[in-house]
Amino acid sequence: TRPPPSSKAQFRGHASGCGMGKRDSKAAKAKRAERRGKGALKTEEKTAKGEQKQKRRDANRQDDEDLEKVLKEFAAMQADEAKVGEQAVPPPSPRANGSLTLHPSGNELLLFGGEHFDGKKNTFYNELYRYSIKRNDWRLVTSKRAPPPRSSHQAAAVPTGGGSLFVFGGEFSSANQSQFYHYRDLWCLDLATYVWEQVQAKNGPSARSGHRMVHCRDRLLVFGGFFDNLRDVKYYNDAHVFDLSLYQWHKLVTAPGDPVPQPRSGCSLAADPAAGAV
């Protein structure tokens, strides 16, 4: 007896289904193998990236340690400086972002700090040079407790009390420029004795470079600048005043709605002592 047509149809369908299942199994195996290969590749890439990140962290940590070591060694070296010295020298070596300030007497220029990149490494200076406008010659001044090497700082001359040169802020970096350090210290150079002294005053501006500082009447005013540690970059538009009679900092606060310059660095700032304005 022949089976009913419906049974044949069911049998054929079942047989057809078994054949498709085998083909699906082979395709699935191939896909699983492909996924395993891609997964292994991704794991290798993640491992490589992790190793690279760790190497960068180790290098940055080493740079931090080297940077701190350099500054500590410099401070120790400056502490050993016996006395103020001065010698005639050729013009200073090439450098950028130092400060060149007119002596209050009007007869000299004072060059401090700066940096030079030779294509491989960056070198920072804390040298102080005196340039005589009348004699057209340079003299290098060495002094105990001089500020650490820096560039992009600001310097301002004050005529009172025999004359002083004030230096604020600036930056320093490792030789390969992988790590940066920004200063927030204020220094005063007595132009009668050429002895440096770090001014200990609280509530001053945050660490920065590229800012501007001018002397107006009995005050120093610091404006703007930036901070960059290769992870965060900040530009400033705050203004801070240092009272030369009280040796105190205070931040200028504007009234709501008053116009304020946008954050910036490397700008120009000029004082009008007669009007008491900047």
Side-chain angles (χ1 to χ4, degrees), residues 255-277:
D258 282 355
V260 178
Q262 292 295 313
R264 67 193 68 199
S265 70
C267 55
S268 294
L269 200 63
D272 182 359

Side-chain angles (χ1 to χ4, degrees), residues 152-225:
S152 299
H153 54 278
Q154 282 286 277
V158 176
T160 56
S164 301
L165 180 73
F166 285 87
V167 172
F168 174 76
E171 65 185 54
F172 179 76
S173 81
S174 55
N176 62 3
Q177 301 185 74
S178 63
Q179 289 293 308
F180 283 85
Y181 181 85
H182 290 260
Y183 297 100
R184 60 177 303 183
D185 50 356
L186 178 65
W187 292 79
C188 177
L189 176 69
D190 187 325
L191 295 179
T193 62
Y194 282 90
V195 172
W196 287 98
E197 178 184 2
Q198 185 174 359
V199 179
Q200 303 296 335
K202 298 179 180 180
N203 304 318
S206 59
R208 64 189 66 196
S209 60
H211 51 285
R212 291 297 177 258
M213 181 173 73
V214 294
H215 169 236
C216 186
R217 294 185 177 177
D218 60 345
R219 293 176 173 83
L220 299 174
L221 185 135
V222 173
F223 170 77

Side-chain angles (χ1 to χ4, degrees), residues 30-157:
K31 287 183 179 180
R32 286 197 295 270
E34 184 181 357
R35 284 197 295 268
R36 283 196 295 269
K38 289 182 178 179
L41 182 60
K42 287 182 179 179
T43 300
E44 291 178 3
E45 290 177 349
K46 287 181 179 180
T47 302
K49 288 181 180 179
E51 291 176 351
Q52 290 175 0
K53 286 182 179 179
Q54 186 60 46
K55 287 181 180 178
R56 286 196 295 269
R57 283 194 292 266
D58 292 341
N60 288 341
R61 190 179 301 111
Q62 184 64 42
D63 284 335
D64 284 337
E65 293 172 357
D66 291 343
L67 214 58
E68 292 177 2
K69 181 180 178 182
V70 167
L71 293 175
K72 286 180 181 178
E73 289 176 351
F74 173 80
M77 181 181 66
Q78 289 299 117
D80 291 338
E81 189 73 41
K83 58 181 180 180
V84 174
E86 185 177 289
Q87 58 178 324
V89 293
S93 60
R95 63 194 63 195
N97 303 320
S99 58
L100 186 65
T101 312
L102 181 65
H103 192 288
S105 67
N107 298 321
E108 288 185 350
L109 296 174
L110 303 169
L111 173 65
F112 175 73
E115 63 181 298
H116 175 68
F117 182 64
D118 65 2
K120 294 182 178 180
K121 67 176 184 178
N122 214 34
T123 303
F124 287 78
Y125 303 101
N126 79 321
E127 299 166 330
L128 175 67
Y129 289 92
R130 299 173 62 184
Y131 174 73
S132 173
I133 298 174
K134 290 182 178 180
R135 299 192 306 269
N136 188 29
D137 64 10
W138 290 91
R139 303 186 75 82
L140 176 64
V141 180
T142 56
S143 176
K144 190 173 183 177
R145 299 189 303 274
R150 66 190 65 202
S151 70
S152 299
H153 54 278
Q154 282 286 277

